[in-house]
Structure formats: C-alpha cells, structure tokens
Amino acid sequence: MNEEFDVVLRGYDRKQVDAFFERLAAGAVTAEELEKPSFRVAMIGYDRHQVWDVVEDRFAGPGGEAAAHAVVTPAQPLAGGPASGKEFDLVLRGYDRHQVNVILARVDAGTITAEELLETSFTVVMRGYDRHQVWDAIKGFAKALEDGTEE
C-alpha cells in the first residue's frame, strides 16, 4: 500500500483499510465498493478523513469530479439553467451527492415539477452535501417552478 495515514483514536480499522487499498491496486474493487466503502471503526486506527479523501481522489475521473457522483440523466441539463453552478458545502453526514446532482440536472432540464421536487428525499451518507443548504435550494427551485420563472 502506498498510502500513509495518521493513526488516531477511533479511526478506521487499519487491516481492513490496508486490504481495501491492496485490492484497489490489484483492480479487484468494484465501482460500487469504491463509491461507498465501509470500514469498521477501531479504538486505534487510520484517520477517517484522510482515508475518505484518498478514496475520493482515487475515484475521481479525468475532470476531477468523482465518477460516482456524475450527473446521470437522460436529458442534457441546460447550461444556463437555474441549478447550474449551484454549490453546496460538503459535510460529514449530508445528502448523497449523486442523488442531489441528478435532481439538479432535472431542474435544469425542466423535467421535474415543483410537487415532485418537494416530495424528493435523499439518503444521508458520509461526506455529503449540507442538508440545510440543499433543502433551501430545493424550496427555492420549487417556488420558481410554481411561479413559472427561473430563480
């Protein structure tokens, strides 16, 4: 393993993390495992933030964006849509970035109604978008859709 992590109290299990990165180097890790790896928390283990940062870096595509969090939608988002350029803070426990990005793409493409937008629910994950910021944006986009204007 080429990665070096600080050893801290209440970190990720060192053997499990080492094994994961060895499998990753050998190409034996699936995209799903890479997107949402789960490591046990041990009394003494690797710094959790450092491990997550390296996992995200390893999963990043050529543009620097994580491939697992790329917007997947049948319609192309409009370049100047209301949700384009919207940014949220990353927090320890926030909304799944992929799910939020898909909804924002639908807002940009105009393929979602205000009602659908307000009924949307997101999974809370490690290192996701700030929940309050996302819901403030969702409410703003829903209001704009109801009014028939863009924010």
Side-chain angles (χ1 to χ4, degrees):
M1 182 177 95
N2 295 338
E3 305 303 330
E4 301 235 353
F5 301 110
D6 293 336
V7 177
V8 297
L9 290 175
R10 306 277 306 143
Y12 286 136
D13 182 273
R14 292 181 284 182
K15 288 181 183 178
Q16 189 180 27
V17 171
D18 289 341
F20 175 81
F21 281 102
E22 285 173 11
R23 289 181 44 236
L24 182 62
V29 175
T30 66
E32 184 176 315
E33 287 177 297
L34 192 54
E35 180 181 352
K36 295 183 180 180
S38 62
F39 303 113
R40 288 185 303 274
V41 175
M43 182 60 89
I44 298 175
Y46 290 139
D47 183 281
R48 293 185 272 180
H49 296 288
Q50 291 175 356
V51 172
W52 274 107
D53 288 343
V54 171
V55 168
E56 284 185 340
D57 289 346
R58 290 286 183 93
F59 200 53
E65 279 294 312
H69 303 300
V71 175
V72 179
T73 180
Q76 279 294 92
L78 303 175
S84 63
K86 189 71 178 168
E87 294 184 10
F88 304 107
D89 293 336
L90 285 179
V91 295
L92 185 61
R93 295 198 35 84
Y95 287 136
D96 184 287
R97 292 179 283 179
H98 175 71
Q99 293 174 351
V100 173
N101 289 342
V102 168
I103 294 299
L104 293 181
R106 288 188 62 200
V107 169
D108 280 347
T111 60
I112 192 167
T113 66
E115 185 177 308
E116 288 175 313
L117 196 55
L118 292 173
E119 291 176 358
T120 301
S121 64
F122 302 107
T123 305
V124 176
V125 297
M126 295 288 290
R127 299 197 35 105
Y129 288 144
D130 182 277
R131 292 180 270 183
H132 298 290
Q133 291 176 355
V134 170
W135 273 113
D136 288 345
I138 293 291
K139 288 187 280 188
F141 294 140
K143 184 175 181 341
L145 286 171
E146 285 174 350
D147 295 342
T149 62
E150 290 188 357
E151 196 173 77

